[in-house]
Amino acid sequence: MTNRRPEAWCLLALGAVLLGATAYRFVARSEERMGLIESVWERLRGAPAPPGEGRRAAPAPSPPVEYEVEPLIGREYFPCLKAELGRAAKSIRVAMYLIDPGEGRDHPVNQLLDALAQARRRGVSVEVVVECPWEKKAPSLKRKNAAALDRLRRQGVSAVFDEPRHCLHDKLVVIDDRVVFIGNHNWTREALTIHDEVSARIVCRPADPRFGRYIGYIGAIGGEETEEGRKAMLQQFQKELLKRSQREAR
């Protein structure tokens, strides 16, 4: 057997070490790649990720809403609505075709408007949207609604006309996104006390924000100002013209 020099043995040992390290590194990386591929494959198949790996949680499904419906026939509507307005805790939204206030605090429509103002004073968000007829059609309707808006605005309630090019024919009241009044009753003395009208009180469990969002969309369209607002704007415009003419006269 041929005797090998010590240098040759050192070179062989060093080569074996390098070869072993390279082989280990290749196997380890292959296993890492295979583990990554298997993890992706399992996720695509819907399997849960291994413990310790962060994953975004899927959104919880919305709970189903149950609706308890109570018919309100004729005069049953007014006292039920007034009581619920007095119990409002967070928000009241009203979309009404016609609101016709009258004289005296005992007038049923005035009582509802006062209930809205009282809710506003105790911190409830109150929004009212009413129909604004197109151009000069139905001037009586516009006059009555304008009087209601003026009365509400003087008491700090957000109250607007809808867009004149759209017809708001709703008789809808939403309280705390939980109690909804919907049906035939406009806010007039006749509808609340005399006419044959049918509406319903709906209790949503849990609260359903869709009704309120609908009214919010109507109010966001932007409508005309009330007669009082237009008069104030005209007076301000006249004052500006007078000031300008006086400055030019100097």
Side-chain angles (χ1 to χ4, degrees), residues 84-85 87-94 115-128 155-159 173-177 212 215-216:
E84 289 291 354
L85 292 176
R87 287 191 285 266
K90 296 180 180 179
S91 63
I92 300 173
R93 294 184 173 93
V94 180
L116 295 179
Q118 291 170 9
R120 175 67 183 86
R121 286 194 290 271
R122 65 174 184 267
V124 177
S125 172
V126 182
E127 301 174 11
V128 178
Q155 301 185 74
V157 174
S158 174
V173 182
V174 183
I175 302 171
D176 294 336
D177 287 331
I215 297 179

Side-chain angles (χ1 to χ4, degrees), residues 148-165:
L149 297 188
D150 291 340
R151 181 182 180 118
L152 289 170
R153 287 178 170 182
R154 286 196 299 268
Q155 301 185 74
V157 174
S158 174
V160 297
F161 279 119
D162 79 322
E163 170 59 47
R165 290 169 293 182

Side-chain angles (χ1 to χ4, degrees), residues 30 38 49-50 92 121 127 144 163 230 237:
S30 298
E38 290 178 359
I92 300 173
R121 286 194 290 271
E127 301 174 11
K144 293 173 181 178
E163 170 59 47
R230 283 196 292 274
F237 181 66

Side-chain angles (χ1 to χ4, degrees), residues 17-185:
V17 171
L18 293 175
L19 181 61
T22 302
Y24 175 80
R25 189 175 181 184
F26 175 79
V27 172
R29 286 193 173 180
S30 298
E31 290 180 352
E32 182 180 352
R33 292 191 186 97
M34 289 302 298
L36 178 60
I37 293 172
E38 290 178 359
S39 175
V40 172
W41 177 246
E42 291 297 326
R43 293 188 185 189
L44 290 175
R45 286 170 32 180
E53 292 192 14
R55 273 203 324 178
R56 181 179 296 176
S62 301
V65 180
E66 295 183 356
Y67 302 97
E68 176 187 317
V69 180
E70 174 188 0
L72 301 172
I73 301 173
R75 298 183 182 183
E76 296 174 347
Y77 174 87
F78 170 69
C80 185
L81 173 60
K82 184 180 176 182
E84 289 291 354
L85 292 176
R87 287 191 285 266
K90 296 180 180 179
S91 63
I92 300 173
R93 294 184 173 93
V94 180
M96 195 65 54
Y97 176 73
L98 171 59
I99 301 179
D100 183 16
E103 297 295 333
R105 299 190 62 180
D106 292 336
H107 192 286
V109 177
N110 293 352
Q111 292 184 48
L112 295 179
L113 297 180
D114 289 344
L116 295 179
Q118 291 170 9
R120 175 67 183 86
R121 286 194 290 271
R122 65 174 184 267
V124 177
S125 172
V126 182
E127 301 174 11
V128 178
V129 186
V130 297
E131 164 64 4
C132 179
W134 174 248
E135 294 181 346
K136 295 185 180 297
K137 295 181 180 179
S140 175
L141 170 64
K142 188 170 184 178
R143 184 178 64 254
K144 293 173 181 178
N145 280 343
L149 297 188
D150 291 340
R151 181 182 180 118
L152 289 170
R153 287 178 170 182
R154 286 196 299 268
Q155 301 185 74
V157 174
S158 174
V160 297
F161 279 119
D162 79 322
E163 170 59 47
R165 290 169 293 182
H166 299 269
C167 178
L168 187 162
H169 205 252
D170 298 299
K171 293 87 179 176
L172 177 62
V173 182
V174 183
I175 302 171
D176 294 336
D177 287 331
R178 185 185 60 85
V179 180
V180 178
F181 288 82
I182 188 169
N184 293 338
H185 288 81

